[in-house]
Structure formats: C-alpha cells, structure tokens
Amino acid sequence: LNAGQFTDAGPWGWIVHGGREVQAPGSGALTGAVVVFGDGRIGVVPADSLQSLRRAVSMGGVREAVQSYPMLLSDGTVPGALRTAADVPHAGVDREHRDARLAIGALPDGRILVALTRFDGLGGALGAVPFGLTVPEMAAVMGALGSRTALMLDGGISAQLAISDKRGSRQVWTGLRRVPLGLVATTRTTK
C-alpha cells in the first residue's frame, strides 16, 4: 500500500528504514506515524510521541516508521479539528473534499487494520477518477471498524493496495499515479 504524504521532491515527514532514520519528522498539529518497533509490534502513534521515538531509533527500539497526516483517531476520539464546523480553523485539513481514502488503524488487541475506500462507479471518461469520503467520514469508518488510533495515509489518486493470500492469489486496487514510498506487510512466522 502507498504510505504517507509526499511532495514533488519525494516522501514527506519522518522515515525510518532498517533501524536508521532516513528523514526527519515534518511538523503539523494532526500528524502521526506508523511505527514498527524493535520487538516487531506495529503501532499508530500521534505527533507528540515522535521525539521520544526518534531517540529510540538509535537503541534499536524502532525498526521502521513513516509519518503522515491527519490522525483520524487517538484513544478512540476524533480530533477536535476534524469535528468542528466548516468555518472553524482546521489545521490545514480540507474536511469537505470527497476522495478515495487510505487509512491504517490499531485495534485494541494490537492487530492492524488497513482500509481503502474508493468508489469507481461513475463510468465513461470519469470512471477512472476515484471519489468517496471526506476526512471526518473516514475517521468515522475507522472508529466503526474498531480502531482506537488511526492515521490517514496518502489517498486520492495515489490510493492503492495489493493483497496476496497464501496461495498467491492477488487482489489489486491501483492508483492513478506513482508514489515514492510504500508499505509492505508480511506474515510473521514463529519458531
């Protein structure tokens, strides 16, 4: 699946790969990160955790991380900036735009949930243009699916996901543009 936000120059925000910080965190009120900890656990964490996690990278406490925005849920609560009226400042998030959405959330039992919402039913020339939910609606979807914390990844025409089962059968939802950073999840085997 495609990862966090990006600019013309490449990925935006904090990136850790192979236990090494590749890029420093970006700033913003509603940012968060997907983190693979040194013990293999995966978490979705808010921006106020990033400084302590940056220190943990050098001690092997973080193996992989990617920053994105906005946080959709924190401890089961939608951030105030996503719940207020349209004329109230909203930390740079368009709360009314409808588009394809890709989000990752953490369930209370530690499992991770990935949700892609996209409706490609317009047909004709517009059939390839995704449309869909607003950011607050995606927060509601993630909460309804059981997430306690959730983070929006890059969506819109970038939203893409591929799932393979044990037999090698694949289901693919392609995006309309290439993205500079992706997340790959594989099954962990225990010995």
Side-chain angles (χ1 to χ4, degrees):
L1 56 120
N2 55 291
Q5 311 296 333
F6 61 94
T7 67
D8 289 339
W12 173 88
W14 191 43
I15 299 172
V16 175
H17 183 58
R20 186 177 69 83
E21 184 174 271
V22 176
Q23 189 166 294
S27 62
L30 293 176
T31 66
V34 179
V35 178
V36 178
F37 296 97
D39 62 5
R41 288 178 302 114
I42 301 172
V44 178
V45 299
D48 60 6
S49 300
L50 296 186
Q51 288 307 318
S52 63
L53 289 172
R54 287 184 81 191
R55 290 188 293 275
V57 171
S58 63
M59 297 178 286
V62 174
R63 289 194 309 215
E64 307 288 334
V66 62
Q67 186 179 14
S68 191
Y69 62 87
M71 283 294 292
L72 298 173
L73 295 168
S74 184
D75 292 324
T77 303
V78 177
L82 299 182
R83 290 184 277 124
T84 56
D87 60 345
V88 176
H90 47 78
V93 175
D94 185 337
R95 294 172 293 191
E96 296 180 18
H97 175 71
R98 295 189 171 281
D99 216 331
R101 303 293 176 192
L102 181 64
I104 189 165
L107 300 172
D109 64 5
R111 291 179 298 152
I112 296 298
L113 170 75
V114 175
L116 171 66
T117 62
R118 184 167 72 191
F119 308 96
D120 294 328
L122 290 176
L126 294 177
V129 179
F131 69 98
L133 304 177
T134 65
V135 172
E137 289 169 345
M138 190 63 185
V141 166
M142 295 304 285
L145 292 172
S147 294
R148 297 291 299 155
T149 58
L151 176 66
M152 185 88 78
L153 300 174
D154 187 36
I157 64 173
S158 301
Q160 50 200 283
L161 177 65
I163 300 172
S164 298
D165 65 18
K166 292 178 184 179
R167 296 178 307 252
S169 181
R170 287 182 64 145
Q171 176 70 43
V172 179
W173 296 269
T174 58
L176 297 177
R177 76 172 155 204
R178 296 174 60 102
V179 294
L181 188 63
L183 300 174
V184 176
T186 59
T187 309
R188 193 175 4 170
T189 56
T190 56
K191 295 179 183 181

